[in-house]
Amino acid sequence: PMAAGEGWASVSDASPFGLGAVLYRNHELVEYFALDLDSHTCTSLRVVRGESAFLALLETITVVLALELYKP
């Protein structure tokens, strides 16, 4: 849980080749993840690796995954 005076922030990013996010607490790194979009993952998500047409979907997946991983 967040105590008074503490600031939390998450920064996420996705590309046609991978995705990741970082969790900060008071500007200090707390946790991070990075995933490569391998052929199995692309098949599961029905995306084509390297195709920017899927970027909005990958960005959304990255945010949802970060929220799931970083929840208390």
Side-chain angles (χ1 to χ4, degrees):
M2 187 165 61
E6 293 181 324
W8 291 86
S10 179
V11 179
S12 63
D13 195 23
S15 79
F17 301 96
L19 44 93
V22 180
L23 178 65
Y24 295 99
R25 181 178 185 183
N26 294 326
H27 306 285
E28 302 264 338
L29 175 67
V30 174
E31 193 172 347
Y32 70 93
F33 74 87
L35 300 172
D36 182 43
L37 291 178
D38 59 18
S39 60
H40 175 66
T41 303
C42 288
T43 301
S44 296
L45 297 175
R46 296 185 178 156
V47 301
V48 177
R49 188 174 193 268
E51 283 289 325
S52 61
F54 299 100
L55 199 50
L57 172 64
L58 296 173
E59 292 278 0
T60 303
I61 290 170
T62 304
V63 170
V64 171
L65 183 56
L67 289 171
E68 183 65 27
L69 289 173
Y70 300 153
K71 71 181 178 183

